């Protein structure tokens, strides 16, 4: 009798599981954290309001932005340390004043329909998107811009965005000293260390050291393994991997169990059901 009941119960569970729809996050999408790299930069010119708006429309969880500083000390979003690749200008970001850099066209290189897009300021971005979408702030080449950590701190603090549990601001950098400095200035904001391929053999001791000030270890996707994901979690950090540009890459990272995917194409991340 007991055996019959057990068989019946197991059969019922099996049948029910066939009809169970995977749980979805409140945005109706998968729970994998979806970070739009430089905005939805597969669809619009990177680090422009057009790319951030596209990411918002696509319901990404975060926009990732690269922050640098102009000659007159203003924070702007641009990836390269020169304006050459993504604008119609030439020269180093740090040699331009804000007024000069905002006269450049940061959209036409991507497509004529984006002609006239400007390089946005950091303040403009956080004013537009705070509370609407998460913001993953990368301090880009901070060694070139002394005082950049303080400027970011000031902008966030003025807007009360430095408080605990705001939940949707993260600061990261490849420059780990800068991450440490920023964490001291903004202890309530989660911070991440970015790790290029040279960190493929990161040790448990190094991860434990990062965890003294960082909440995230965010590696190049090419060094992500099951073992790395487990060790990052064991160290008490989360792991967001970059930069996904194909569905296959997203699928692989999903299988590895990362917490977030940083991608030019947010649509690749949302094709995954929630992992149980
Ligand atoms: O957020 C991670 C990723 O942006 C790091 O690489 O060169 O695109 O800034 P990069
Ligand atoms: Ca970046």
């Amino acid at each position: 009798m007991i055996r019959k009941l057990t068989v019946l119960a197991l059969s019922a569970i099996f049948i029910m599981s066939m009809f169970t729809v995977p749980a979805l996050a409140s945005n109706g999408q998968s729970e994998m954290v979806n970070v739009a790299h430089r905005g939805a930069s597969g669809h619009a010119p990177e680090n422009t309001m057009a790319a951030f708006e596209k990411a918002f429309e696509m319901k990404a969880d975060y926009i990732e932005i690269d922050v640098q500083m102009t000659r007159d000390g203003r924070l702007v979003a641009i990836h390269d340390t020169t304006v050459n690749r993504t604008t119609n200008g030439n020269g180093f970001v740090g040699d331009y004043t804000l007024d000069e850099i905002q006269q450049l066209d940061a959209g036409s290189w991507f497509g004529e329909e984006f002609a006239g897009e400007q390089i946005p300021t950091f303040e403009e971005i956080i004013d537009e998107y705070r509370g609407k979408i998460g913001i993953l702030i990368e301090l880009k080449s901070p060694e070139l811009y002394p005082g950049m950590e303080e400027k970011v701190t000031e902008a966030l603090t003025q807007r009360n965005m430095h408080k605990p549990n705001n939940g949707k601001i993260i600061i990261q950098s490849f420059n780990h000293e800068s991450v440490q400095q920023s964490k001291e200035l903004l202890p309530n904001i989660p911070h991440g260390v970015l790790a290029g391929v040279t960190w493929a053999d990161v040790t448990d001791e190094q991860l434990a050291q990062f965890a003294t000030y960082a909440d995230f270890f965010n590696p190049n996707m090419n060094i992500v393994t099951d073992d790395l994901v487990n060790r990052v979690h064991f160290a008490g950090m989360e792991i967001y991997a970059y930069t996904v540009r194909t569905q296959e890459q997203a699928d692989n990272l999903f299988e590895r169990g990362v917490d977030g995917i940083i991608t030019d194409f947010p649509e690749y991340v949302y094709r995954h059901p929630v992992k149980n």
Side-chain angles (χ1 to χ4, degrees), residues 35 37-38 47 64-66 79-80 136 138 140 172 174 194 218-219 240-243 245 262 264:
V35 182
H37 180 240
R38 312 179 195 169
N47 283 308
E64 188 256 1
I65 64 175
D66 297 297
H79 178 270
D80 299 2
L136 174 58
E138 180 180 344
K140 180 60 85 186
Q172 64 174 2
F174 285 105
L194 280 165
N218 293 345
Y240 291 5
Y242 68 90
T243 301
R245 296 190 172 100
I262 301 172
D264 293 353

Side-chain angles (χ1 to χ4, degrees), residues 155-218:
L156 294 174
T157 306
Q158 277 171 354
R159 293 162 176 81
N160 262 332
M161 293 169 72
H162 62 305
K163 296 279 174 67
N165 304 321
N166 74 38
K168 294 291 262 180
I169 300 287
I170 304 170
I171 297 175
Q172 64 174 2
S173 185
F174 285 105
N175 182 326
H176 301 164
E177 279 177 28
S178 176
V179 177
Q180 242 173 311
Q181 197 184 331
S182 177
K183 183 70 181 181
E184 280 166 25
L185 294 165
L186 293 162
N188 294 314
I189 289 189
H191 281 66
V193 291
L194 280 165
V197 288
T198 56
W199 286 97
D201 297 321
V202 64
T203 65
D204 288 342
E205 290 68 31
Q206 287 168 323
L207 289 173
Q209 173 58 23
F210 287 142
T212 62
Y213 59 90
D215 309 273
F216 293 85
F217 178 81
N218 293 345

Side-chain angles (χ1 to χ4, degrees), residues 253-270:
L253 290 173
F254 184 80
E255 287 305 317
R256 304 284 75 72
V258 299
D259 303 293
I261 292 178
I262 301 172
T263 178
D264 293 353
F265 298 93
E267 64 269 37
Y268 296 153
V269 179
Y270 283 145

